[in-house]
Amino acid sequence: MLRLGQHTFDAHEPVIMAIVNRTPDSFYDQGATFQDEPALARVEQAVAEGAAIVDIGGVKAGPGEEVDAAEEARRTVGFVAEVRRRFPDVIISVDTWRHEVGEAVCEAGADLLNDAWGGVDPKLAEVAARHGVGLVCTHAGGVEPRTRPHRIGYDDVMADILTVTLGLAERAVALGVPRESVLIDPGHDFGKNTRHSLEATRRLPEMVGTGWPVLVSLSNKDFVGETLDKPVKERVIGTLATTAVSAWLGAQVYRVHEVAETRQVLDMVSSIAGHRPPAVARRGLA
């Protein structure tokens, strides 16, 4: 059972986390939701299309202009408070690796801290424990935040993913983070080349088999683009294909840009797997 905020999800219930970037230079939308009203409209649309979680980020993942903790907080804290006011039932996640920002967004109403950089700031887990919120424990290959991997290698990439994410998860629980609110993430593209991310995808059952709920952040990433030789705006089909495979292999939470399309993919896979009945069943019955 996964518990986030006021919501619980059983093991076979796929969950969509919609990306809401509060950055002027995001790789996908180039700042379309940097201002408050477009960002709030994005939240409203995502919830209407089937997202249970909105993931709010104040710093671009890749290299770019420096954003210190104060500026990251300025971009996210007030927005979190407004989302909590307007959408009291939505699960609010904040994508941050900094404990100072984590503290402020939790006070503003966040339910989940999405640590995409693999525990580089160990105090972030302490913040999650103190506020009783969830935590995403990610494998990032030990690289510094906002840097790209260069000729990174692993003897066994999934073994390294498991060692890191399980260690982070168990530490979080030992600190007081509710066990049912901890997720593990293989960290596609983070500290990995394309072949690493592809291998991590096909070996997802090894993560699922640990019993921790698995989050995958696949949406329009470079490993999809390189696999198909497609630019950012032409990676949706590859992303949805990877989503379907990941769902079949047991991942539970999906961090995405295209919510409606992902909802259909996840519902279809869930129905094929026998976990969800068809929305309608008329064929052969008339």
Side-chain angles (χ1 to χ4, degrees), residues 147-208:
T147 61
R148 300 192 189 282
H150 179 68
R151 299 190 181 279
I152 195 164
Y154 302 94
D155 292 333
D156 183 326
V157 67
M158 182 50 73
D160 203 80
I161 289 169
L162 290 171
T163 296
V164 170
T165 58
L166 298 184
L168 291 170
E170 292 293 352
R171 175 179 181 268
V173 172
L175 287 170
V177 180
R179 178 173 286 270
E180 64 274 17
S181 302
V182 175
L183 305 98
I184 58 175
D185 177 355
H188 289 80
D189 275 1
F190 281 57
K192 298 170 189 68
N193 62 33
T194 289
R195 289 182 175 85
H196 293 144
S197 292
L198 292 171
E199 182 174 349
T201 304
R202 62 178 170 267
R203 294 177 66 182
L204 278 174
E206 295 174 50
M207 297 189 75
V208 175

Side-chain angles (χ1 to χ4, degrees), residues 10-14 247-251 254 266-278:
D10 66 36
H12 296 299
E13 187 174 356
W248 188 257
L249 295 178
Y254 301 82
L266 295 177
D267 285 350
M268 193 71 201
V269 173
S270 185
S271 294
I272 293 169
H275 304 311
R276 172 188 177 274

Side-chain angles (χ1 to χ4, degrees), residues 220-239:
N220 302 294
K221 283 198 167 177
D222 284 349
F223 83 97
V224 175
E226 288 194 356
T227 299
L228 301 176
D229 193 16
K230 295 293 183 183
V232 171
K233 292 298 184 180
E234 296 178 23
R235 298 175 184 177
V236 175
I237 293 173
T239 296

Side-chain angles (χ1 to χ4, degrees), residues 120-144:
V120 67
D121 181 348
K123 292 182 180 180
L124 189 65
E126 298 173 17
V127 171
R130 187 159 54 250
H131 289 273
V133 303
L135 183 69
V136 179
C137 299
T138 308
H139 180 273
V143 301
E144 289 294 315

Side-chain angles (χ1 to χ4, degrees), residues 2-21:
L2 172 64
R3 184 183 302 275
L4 298 172
Q6 303 174 27
H7 300 265
T8 58
F9 307 91
D10 66 36
H12 296 299
E13 187 174 356
V15 182
I16 294 177
M17 169 189 277
I19 298 166
V20 182
N21 291 315

